[in-house]
Amino acid sequence: MKRFVLAMMLLALPLAAQQNDKKDEKPAPPPPQWTQKLFILKYADPRNVANLLGVFECRSTPNTEMHALAVTASPQTMPAVEEAIARLDIPGASSKNIELTMQLVVGSDGEAGVGGPIPKDLESVVTQLRNAFPFKNYRLLDVLTLRTRVGQRAGTDSSGGAMQFGGVTKPVVSTFAIDSSSLGPDGSTVRLDRLRASSRLPVEVAPGQFNSQELSLNTDVDIKEGQKVVIGRHGINREQALFLVLSAHVVQ
């Protein structure tokens, strides 16, 4: 009988210890309370505002088409978010227009049978190209220009370029598009999201017979306003290469 009582006491000790441990455990803190609010902006770009709200402990979802900004934050943080948006959404923050120019330059070791002469505004760029790629001739194949508002998608195409094969002239079809654009914090850096540029060039496979060659570029670009930057180079063949020169201007 004594052995039975002793065994029962030994079994009861772990249970009592577990109960004491549970008493000592502190209850888990309740999950944080979050509140949501939708802001309709009058002037500022929702994407730019969303980027600046990153200093707060919140989540923000911009919508450029509806000019709206959805914010999720704690009740303690939301007043600071509201004040920041009120300070940022002012007339001076209205969306600006950006004018983008893509110039297609062909470097060649053969006869100058492509495009036209290099304009004066490209001479300094071509000088740099000659130092890096010493082709005998540089010619301007085509120019594509588009004007868009910050945060908007835009694109254009052109068939103004041409290549000559003996006495035959064949057109070059080019396209230029972006998903969106924005201005950096310094106000002079233009950011382009998913820039896409392509050119369809004719290729002579036999006398009088032509196929097409597709050259394309897909990238994100940061460019200083007013500067001309070579953003891509495509090898056409051993004697020719296509260079993409981009410039951007902010238009009030």
Side-chain angles (χ1 to χ4, degrees), residues 12 27 64 79 84 89 102 114 130 137 139 145 165 191 204 207 251:
T64 56
D89 190 26
M102 178 79 74
V114 177
R130 288 185 185 276
N137 300 302
R139 304 279 287 180
T145 303
F165 300 86
R191 296 177 174 175
E204 189 173 21
V251 183

Side-chain angles (χ1 to χ4, degrees), residues 152-165:
Q152 299 296 316
R153 179 178 299 180
T156 186
D157 57 70
S158 171
S159 58
M163 299 180 69
Q164 294 181 354
F165 300 86

Side-chain angles (χ1 to χ4, degrees), residues 50 68 87 113:
R87 290 178 176 271

Side-chain angles (χ1 to χ4, degrees), residues 7-19:
M8 294 298 294
M9 292 176 64
L10 291 175
L11 290 173
L13 286 175
L15 294 175
Q18 292 179 6
Q19 292 177 355

Side-chain angles (χ1 to χ4, degrees), residues 133-150:
F133 308 97
F135 290 107
K136 294 180 180 178
N137 300 302
Y138 280 87
R139 304 279 287 180
L140 180 64
L141 177 63
D142 203 354
V143 179
L144 292 87
T145 303
L146 63 85
R147 185 168 178 168
T148 180
R149 178 167 290 186
V150 168

Side-chain angles (χ1 to χ4, degrees), residues 35-94:
T35 182
Q36 296 178 325
K37 190 165 184 179
L38 181 64
F39 297 88
I40 306 299
L41 305 183
K42 294 181 179 180
Y43 308 103
D45 185 344
R47 293 182 55 183
N48 293 339
V49 175
N51 290 335
L52 293 174
L53 290 182
V55 300
F56 298 105
E57 188 177 354
C58 67
R59 296 191 299 270
S60 56
T61 304
N63 187 307
T64 56
E65 294 182 0
M66 302 184 68
H67 224 62
L69 183 65
V71 179
T72 302
S74 66
Q76 295 77 19
T77 304
M78 188 61 78
V81 171
E82 293 176 351
E83 182 180 357
I85 292 176
R87 290 178 176 271
L88 294 170
D89 190 26
I90 57 177
S94 59

